[in-house]
């Protein structure tokens, strides 16, 4: 009698038992009997299945670890380099950057950050550069005096750590500034408008593009958020990363305080959540800080504007493909102060109060 395990072996070793099948399948594939369209259809179906499989495996090996890393966040973190500033601005603009983005910083300085006002100060914040990068960074810092190195390891997951570093920096060195504007280096801002926005804002409030979708992605990509990291089906209202304004002197302190007693302090998984969701959503909600959506912040190079007293006004754009701040700042300035017309595309005519 055959053991069960022998059966398949035997089956495959004797293909001649099914001569018709073994002969016709390869033959059919190369012959013209299957029309080319059906063949293509089959191929794309296979590709689609393979892609679905690829996605499903990615969500297993995602961003978040089953075994959380409980390393405490160092709220006393150092700044290895910081500019000496004699001014006491009302609006502190901190730009998220990495050591290697020399060209972008250069273009930012030459374009939107070149704005003379005692009330506004722009500085760049990065994580720790490599040994090779350090000399160039020091030189850049001597020339422009606008560079901050936070004691944070560079990498994709450093975004939340960098924002926390910004809050700590503002609290320690510019406690009297009314507004902290957090901007990514690939954003183009009209500082004059942010200055006015800050003057008019009644804090504590977070201002930005705060009408973004809030549902939590559970299982589509590797960015899927497992329930053990965030259990609610939607995030609190939050303002999209890129550029947002913390208006009110004490907003950074209040967010730091909430972070200290939230999973931010001892869960790497939590700190891997989107930086905007953490600070302008979860922590702001807990701290009781309002978020207010304002028009005129765009996700794309194409500016969004609203009409203020009949004239176009914008705040910022985000460079996706055309990473050229100089050119895009010029584009943005061209529509500033132009009279609104009813047929203008991308116009938003509401103004929330
Ligand atoms: C900033 O603009 C002024 C003119 O408004 C110009 O003289 C100066 O060189 C610019 N600075 C930089 C860093 O491009
Ligand atoms: C995806 O998540 C939904 C609930 O959010 C669940 O019902 C569904 O079974 C999940 N699909 C997979 C493939 O895990």
């Amino acid at each position: 009698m055959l053991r069960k395990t022998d059966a398949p072996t035997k089956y495959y070793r004797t293909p001649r038992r099914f001569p018709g099948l073994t002969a016709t399948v390869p033959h059919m594939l190369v012959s013209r009997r299957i029309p080319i369209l059906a063949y293509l259809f089959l191929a794309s179906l296979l590709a689609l299945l393979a892609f679905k499989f690829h996605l499903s495996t990615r969500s297993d090996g995602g961003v978040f670890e089953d075994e959380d890393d409980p390393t405490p966040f160092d709220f006393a973190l150092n700044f290895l380099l910081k500019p000496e500033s004699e001014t006491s601005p009302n609006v502190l603009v901190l730009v998220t950057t990495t050591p290697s983005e020399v060209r972008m910083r250069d273009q930012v300085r030459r374009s939107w950050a070149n704005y003379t006002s005692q009330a506004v100060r722009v500085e760049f914040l990065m994580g720790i550069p490599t040994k090779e990068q350090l000399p160039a960074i020091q030189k850049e810092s001597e020339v422009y005096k606008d560079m901050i190195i936070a004691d944070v390891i560079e990498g994709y997951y450093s975004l939340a750590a960098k924002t926390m570093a910004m809050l700590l920096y503002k609290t320690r060195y510019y406690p009297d500034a009314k507004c902290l504007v957090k901007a990514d280096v690939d954003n183009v801002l009209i500082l004059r408008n942010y200055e006015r926005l800050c003057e008019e804002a009644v804090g504590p409030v977070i201002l930005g593009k705060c009408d973004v979708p809030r549902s939590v992605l559970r299982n589509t990509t590797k960015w899927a958020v497992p329930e053990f990291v965030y259990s609610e089906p939607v995030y609190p209202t939050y303002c999209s990363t890129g550029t947002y304004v913390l208006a009110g002197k004490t907003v950074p302190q209040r967010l730091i305080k909430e972070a200290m007693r939230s999973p931010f302090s001892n869960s790497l998984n939590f700190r891997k959540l989107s930086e905007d969701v953490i600070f302008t959503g979860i922590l702001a909600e807990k701290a009781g800080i309002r978020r207010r959506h304002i028009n005129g912040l765009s996700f794309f190079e194409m500016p969004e504007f609203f009409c203020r007293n009949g004239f176009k006004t914008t705040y910022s754009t985000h460079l996706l493909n055309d990473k050229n701040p100089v050119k895009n700042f010029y584009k943005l300035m061209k529509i500033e102060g132009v009279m609104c017309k009813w047929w203008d595309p991308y116009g938003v005519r509401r103004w929330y109060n």
Side-chain angles (χ1 to χ4, degrees), residues 56 59 216 218-220 227:
S56 67
S59 64
V216 181
R218 283 292 177 215
N219 52 16
T220 43
E227 269 159 28

Side-chain angles (χ1 to χ4, degrees), residues 115-139:
Y115 171 66
T116 7
S117 163
Q118 284 293 315
V120 182
R121 178 156 177 87
V122 182
E123 296 180 8
F124 296 91
L125 185 140
M126 61 183 68
I128 305 166
T130 61
K131 271 203 191 91
E132 294 74 41
Q133 289 167 329
L134 188 61
I137 296 289
Q138 278 168 332
K139 211 174 225 168

Side-chain angles (χ1 to χ4, degrees), residues 214-246:
R214 291 158 47 200
S215 52
V216 181
L217 289 182
R218 283 292 177 215
N219 52 16
T220 43
T221 66
K222 72 167 185 155
W223 304 107
V225 176
E227 269 159 28
F228 60 83
V229 179
Y230 190 79
S231 59
E232 305 290 322
V234 291
Y235 296 120
T237 300
Y238 70 95
C239 311
S240 172
T241 189
T243 306
Y244 55 78
V245 182
L246 309 183

Side-chain angles (χ1 to χ4, degrees), residues 78-84 123-126 129 134 136-142 145-151 169 173:
N78 282 318
F79 296 98
L80 311 176
L81 180 77
K82 69 174 257 333
E84 296 301 327
E123 296 180 8
F124 296 91
L125 185 140
M126 61 183 68
L134 188 61
I137 296 289
Q138 278 168 332
K139 211 174 225 168
E140 190 182 336
S141 168
E142 275 162 34
K145 300 181 173 55
D146 61 0
M147 317 257 290
I148 307 163
I149 300 179
D151 192 1
Y169 183 84
Y173 303 110

Side-chain angles (χ1 to χ4, degrees), residues 84-189:
E84 296 301 327
S85 171
E86 306 84 43
T87 59
S88 56
N90 203 34
V91 185
L92 176 66
V93 183
L94 294 181
V95 183
T96 322
T97 178
T98 61
S100 58
E101 288 167 327
V102 188
R103 223 178 90 83
M104 282 295 266
R105 284 195 292 279
D106 195 50
Q107 293 210 12
V108 167
R109 287 189 191 101
R110 277 169 35 209
S111 59
W112 64 263
N114 189 5
Y115 171 66
T116 7
S117 163
Q118 284 293 315
V120 182
R121 178 156 177 87
V122 182
E123 296 180 8
F124 296 91
L125 185 140
M126 61 183 68
I128 305 166
T130 61
K131 271 203 191 91
E132 294 74 41
Q133 289 167 329
L134 188 61
I137 296 289
Q138 278 168 332
K139 211 174 225 168
E140 190 182 336
S141 168
E142 275 162 34
V143 176
Y144 298 106
K145 300 181 173 55
D146 61 0
M147 317 257 290
I148 307 163
I149 300 179
D151 192 1
V152 164
I153 293 164
E154 272 297 350
Y156 190 82
Y157 304 134
S158 66
L159 285 179
K162 282 185 184 174
T163 304
M164 179 49 80
M166 287 179 174
L167 302 186
L168 294 165
Y169 183 84
K170 148 83 171 77
T171 308
R172 276 185 223 168
Y173 303 110
Y174 295 96
D176 292 329
K178 179 179 173 188
C179 293
L180 169 60
V181 179
K182 180 257 163 190
D184 288 340
V185 78
D186 59 358
N187 277 233
V188 174
L189 283 67

